[in-house]
Amino acid sequence: MQNVLTFSLSIFLMVFTQQISVAQPIHQMPTLGYSYDALEPYIDGQTMEIHFSKHHQAYLTNLNKALNGTKAEKLPLELLLLGAERRGAAIRNNGGGHYNHTLFWSILSPNPEKSPSGKLADDIHKTFTSVDSLKKLLNNGASTRFGSGWVWLYVTPEKKLAVCSTPNQDNPIMDAAKENRGIPILGIDVWEHAYYLKYQNKRGDYLGAIWNVIDWSKVGMLYENALKDPLLKDIEKDDWTALKEFHLVMAQTFHPMEEGKLEPIKTRSGEMLEKAQILAKSKVPTTFKSDAITKALTDLVDGSAKLDKLIKKKGKDDKIKESLTKLHDTFHVIQGLCSDDH
Ligand code: MN
């Protein structure tokens, strides 16, 4: 009997330890849908192998290392990138590196659709007049990018097509991209590691050749997906700096108050009013414009003014608590309306 128990226990421990040891990190390498030499003669097999199995792999390994045990570990990659600048260099460079290369491999193909079709083709014609002029814009962005980086065709929060280039492993999802934010649907890697073995210093030759392996049917699919992706709204909201700044003061005064500490709001009510006024005057992102938001912004200024006045005349703590709670509710009308689809 004891043997049976010991045996069962050791089986259990074996299975249990195995489960621990095979626990996978959240972020994983994609599968390359073709062999390393499948894109020859345009991109050579050795470049592809080193690029995928060494460069991309290193970004992924370092991303998982940077995230290990942190609160950000479980966030989807896109939401990590959204705040890349504030999250620091390790997440920005390696998260960007992982996202950018995953996108890059997915739009390359040994049997590509050589020109866009459907809605993508229509919208390229509307925005850039022709596919050729779009390619020219992208190639120009790529050849004038000093040092390492990427050139992108991306979808803006207003659902327009646009072109930009970013340094290093940045991309348009990131806060770091400033006025060029959106969801990328086509990216060209212009780091030397992407072309140097075959093209050496001739970046222009690489840029000429790569169009032979870019699959427009894949870019078209990414376009359709991007147009309905809630990430566009997240980007737009993340770009609403005045909202973020008000939110910060609110968070740093309201939460202490919940724990009975009124000192933060008593010292910062003037700042809160000022941030509310800036927020009310700021440009409301197009997709958030509504009568409800306009009203909430006015209420936020009125509420902040009342609270500030109450504190300046040394009002009772109960009244201050009541006033701040009401202001917090008003703020969440804006926050709530902004994030209703997430
Ligand atoms: Mn690369």
Side-chain angles (χ1 to χ4, degrees), residues 34 89 119 131 134 139 148 166 173 188 192 197 219 232 318:
Y34 39 85
K119 181 166 170 57
V131 179
L134 165 63
N139 279 7
S148 300
T166 53
I173 298 173
I188 301 175
E192 282 187 346
L197 291 180
V219 180
L232 283 182
D318 280 357

Side-chain angles (χ1 to χ4, degrees), residues 278-324:
I278 293 169
L279 177 57
K281 277 189 209 142
S282 71
K283 188 171 171 281
V284 179
T286 334
T287 50
F288 297 127
K289 272 185 191 152
S290 71
D291 293 345
I293 290 275
T294 309
K295 183 179 181 307
L297 288 171
T298 313
D299 290 350
L300 204 66
V301 176
D302 292 348
S304 302
K306 271 186 203 143
L307 176 59
D308 186 46
K309 212 169 148 192
L310 186 65
I311 286 170
K312 299 268 155 68
K313 346 178 273 211
K314 314 245 180 265
K316 285 198 179 114
D317 283 3
D318 280 357
K319 294 278 173 204
I320 293 172
K321 275 185 203 168
E322 194 185 305
S323 176
L324 180 56

